[in-house]
Amino acid sequence: MIRPLLAMTVLCLGLSAACGRADDEPIDDAPIAEETIPFVADSVIEREIQTRLEADPRLDVEGVEIDVRSADQEVSLVGQVPSRLEWSIAREIALSAPGVKSVYLDSIVVLSEQQGGPTGAVAPPQT
C-alpha cells in the first residue's frame, strides 16, 4: 500500500502543473522561443547585399543594375535585370544576407519581359 502511495506522490510532484491546480488557473510554462533575426544595421545590410550581388558569378555584371535599399531590416531592390533568372538570383542573394527580415522586388524591371514577355515590365512583389 505504501508503494502505490509513494508512486502517486512522485507522479504529482513531477506533474505539479496538473496536480493541485484549479482549472481556471493558467499553466505557467516556459515561453516558447520565437525565431529571432539578429539586428544588423541597414547600412551594413545594403553593403553586404551589394557585395554579394557583384560577386555572384550567376549574375551578368553588365546586364544587372540593382540598387539596394534597407529600412528596418526590410530590403527593397530597385533597378533592372535581363531576365527572370537574374531576378530570382537577386532575390535569393538578398534573402540570404544576415539581418534581413523581408525582401521586396516590385521595383525590379525584367528587361526580357519588357521586350514582348507575357507579364509586363515589373516582376511581382516578393516577401
Side-chain angles (χ1 to χ4, degrees):
M1 189 66 171
I2 294 177
R3 282 192 176 182
L5 183 58
L6 181 61
M8 184 61 106
T9 304
V10 170
L11 181 63
C12 280
L13 289 175
L15 301 174
S16 61
C19 297
R21 179 181 69 81
D23 288 335
D24 58 343
E25 290 180 28
I27 297 175
D28 187 28
D29 289 342
I32 297 173
E34 295 181 19
E35 182 179 339
T36 58
I37 297 174
F39 177 79
V40 178
D42 289 319
S43 60
V44 173
I45 290 172
E46 289 175 11
R47 278 194 310 270
E48 179 66 24
I49 294 173
Q50 196 65 51
T51 300
R52 289 176 182 213
L53 289 169
E54 292 168 2
D56 196 297
R58 300 173 296 170
L59 293 176
D60 174 16
V61 179
E62 298 296 318
V64 175
E65 296 177 25
I66 299 176
D67 183 32
V68 181
R69 299 176 186 160
S70 181
D72 297 325
Q73 298 180 298
E74 294 182 350
V75 174
S76 294
L77 300 181
V78 179
Q80 63 183 26
V81 293
S83 70
R84 298 229 5 122
L85 176 60
E86 282 88 357
W87 180 89
S88 179
I89 292 168
R91 177 182 178 269
E92 175 189 323
I93 290 169
L95 283 171
S96 70
V100 173
K101 289 181 183 176
S102 57
V103 175
Y104 300 96
L105 292 111
D106 51 341
S107 295
I108 292 282
V109 175
V110 179
L111 295 177
S112 64
E113 291 179 0
Q114 271 191 339
Q115 301 165 359
T119 62
V122 179
Q126 296 289 318
T127 58

